[in-house]
Amino acid sequence: MIKICGTGSALPAKKVTNDDLSKIMDTSDEWISSRTGIRARHLVTTETTTGMAVEASRQALEQAGITAEELDIIIAATLTPDHVLPTLACEVQATLGAVNAVAFDLHAACSGFLFSMNTVAAYMQSGVYKNALVIGAETLSKIMDWNDRGTCVLFGDGAGAAVIRNLEEDGTNGGLLSFAQHSDGARGSVLACGNRPVQHPFAQPREEENQNVSMDGQAVYKFAVSTVPKVIEEAVTKAGLTIEDIDLFVLHQANQRIIESVAKRLKQPIEKFPMNLQACGNISAASVPILLDSLNKDGKIKPNDRIVLAGFGAGLTWGAAVIQW
Ligand code: ACO
């Protein structure tokens, strides 16, 4: 059984409300909250992606009751590591002293935590590794155009983590039951962020890329509401279950209207779709593990609950997994 045995999360101390934003740009709480549900987000002041990831990881290890030395693999899902090199996963490994783990980053934008979890599960199913740490951590505030009110108001910073173990010998059922994941690079331009320009002495001049996030909001909205219900149904069917068997749907926290639309399309009550986007905004790869950790710590998940985790975002990428707690 491949099981989530511990969770953790960390948010920056600085909370920035919609009203705070309206003092520095032409926006309002009414505009942001009515279109997205978001009322506040946490933004780094002194915190780092690595520092938040380490804090979330320590909590997850403590809850799982294992030491950092027992980890075989660390995958960090991020699009905003502190450095290009070394990777976030290696920086976390060094701080935790997880000397026996292989560590690397996986970049799948808002689907990153989910794809990382599915990757460690595949290693575990083939018997390669037993104990994994999966992290989703972002400092999205550093890749926002703070003059673009259409994007910067949507995102926040933070980190979540989960310790995932292959407990094959414990004889109980449950854990990860199934997953499904997809990409469509042909539609990638709807949510984009450029990289550093090529500037070596032999380079030809090229058109400069926007090094901040740019988004066709309506195209992203249509993509999310059409693909997410389908991939959830695909994963649930693979698990041999029906949508009615699912107790909780923990979706990427992009937008309340997207989540409400998915609930409607799946004909499920909105109460099964917990949200934290009101207080945290969209934290890309960190959204799902932060929400999972708060549900776990608040006692909102009961043993044997069947939970769908779903991610979707840039790439385009999207996926879902079914777990039994
Ligand atoms: N405050 C006030 N006005 C604003 C703001 C703002 N923060 N941002 C844009 N506006 C204005 C625009 O300038 C525009 O004005 P105009 O009509 O005078 O030109 C008007 O509001 C409408 O702008 P639209 O972009 O058309 O607004 P829309 O109704 O599409 O809402 C939104 C934008 C909320 C982004 C919506 O498209 C959406 O929810 N999309 C989903 C995308 C999403 O959630 N992305 C998250 C990242 S991707 C991911 O995580 C999967």
Side-chain angles (χ1 to χ4, degrees):
M1 174 172 69
I2 295 165
K3 193 173 163 55
I4 294 179
C5 297
T7 60
S9 62
L11 290 170
K14 177 79 180 163
K15 183 177 161 188
V16 177
T17 64
N18 294 345
D19 286 333
D20 294 330
L21 290 180
S22 72
K23 290 180 189 132
I24 57 163
M25 66 182 77
D26 184 13
T27 190
S28 64
D29 178 52
E30 197 283 323
W31 193 97
I32 302 169
S33 60
S34 65
R35 281 169 181 78
T36 69
I38 297 166
R39 291 194 165 269
R41 71 289 294 141
H42 291 254
L43 301 180
V44 296
T45 50
T46 57
E47 298 88 346
T48 61
T49 305
T50 307
M52 294 186 290
V54 166
E55 166 62 24
S57 299
R58 284 199 169 121
Q59 294 169 19
L61 283 166
E62 190 182 337
Q63 195 182 56
I66 66 167
T67 63
E69 290 84 356
E70 289 176 84
L71 289 171
D72 304 311
I73 179 167
I74 301 172
I75 303 185
T78 184
L79 62 123
T80 48
D82 292 322
H83 308 109
V84 175
L85 300 170
T87 62
L88 171 60
C90 284
E91 296 202 277
V92 171
Q93 178 202 22
T95 312
L96 294 177
V99 289
N100 298 307
V102 64
F104 57 90
D105 289 2
L106 187 154
H107 182 357
C110 306
S111 308
F113 179 82
L114 199 86
F115 285 15
S116 300
M117 191 183 83
N118 297 342
T119 301
V120 301
Y123 277 121
M124 287 176 181
Q125 276 155 355
S126 57
V128 180
Y129 299 126
K130 193 166 179 283
N131 296 325
L133 172 65
V134 177
I135 299 161
E138 303 287 8
T139 303
L140 296 174
S141 54
K142 69 180 175 183
I143 56 164
M144 290 301 134
D145 176 353
W146 285 91
N147 293 311
D148 177 9
R149 62 181 181 170
T151 52
C152 71
V153 303
L154 305 175
F155 297 91
D157 301 331
V163 167
I164 301 177
R165 305 187 68 196
N166 189 354
L167 302 172
E168 57 197 3
E169 72 283 2
D170 90 340
T172 50
N173 292 322
L176 179 73
L177 304 180
S178 69
F179 64 80
Q181 47 191 16
H182 300 280
S183 303
D184 180 7
R187 285 191 282 165
S189 63
V190 301
L191 187 47
C193 180
N195 210 335
R196 281 164 52 140
V198 178
Q199 282 177 325
H200 66 76
F202 308 100
Q204 294 292 323
R206 306 178 192 199
E207 200 179 320
E208 271 211 16
E209 282 192 311
N210 181 356
Q211 290 177 42
N212 297 309
V213 170
S214 62
M215 179 178 74
D216 177 344
Q218 287 173 16
V220 173
Y221 185 91
K222 281 183 201 146
F223 147 71
V225 298
S226 62
T227 56
V228 177
K230 279 191 209 143
V231 79
I232 289 175
E233 277 169 343
E234 185 185 347
V236 169
T237 304
K238 272 191 184 172
L241 300 171
T242 67
I243 293 292
E244 284 66 34
D245 295 325
I246 304 299
D247 299 292
L248 283 175
F249 296 84
V250 178
L251 268 50
H252 169 49
Q253 300 288 295
N255 181 310
Q256 184 170 332
R257 288 191 306 152
I258 292 176
I259 295 173
E260 284 167 355
S261 170
V262 173
K264 206 166 156 198
R265 283 176 197 228
L266 292 174
K267 300 191 176 64
Q268 293 299 296
I270 193 67
E271 291 70 31
K272 283 189 178 184
F273 291 73
M275 290 182 230
N276 66 3
L277 59 85
Q278 293 82 356
C280 299
N282 177 347
I283 322 180
S284 192
S287 272
V288 167
I290 291 174
L291 178 55
L292 192 63
D293 180 52
S294 68
L295 294 167
N296 187 17
K297 286 192 177 135
D298 294 348
K300 301 245 171 74
I301 310 178
K302 300 184 293 301
N304 291 319
D305 268 359
R306 290 166 177 146
I307 305 169
V308 162
L309 307 179
F312 50 95
L316 298 170
T317 56
W318 64 102
V322 183
I323 58 175
Q324 190 165 359
W325 201 253

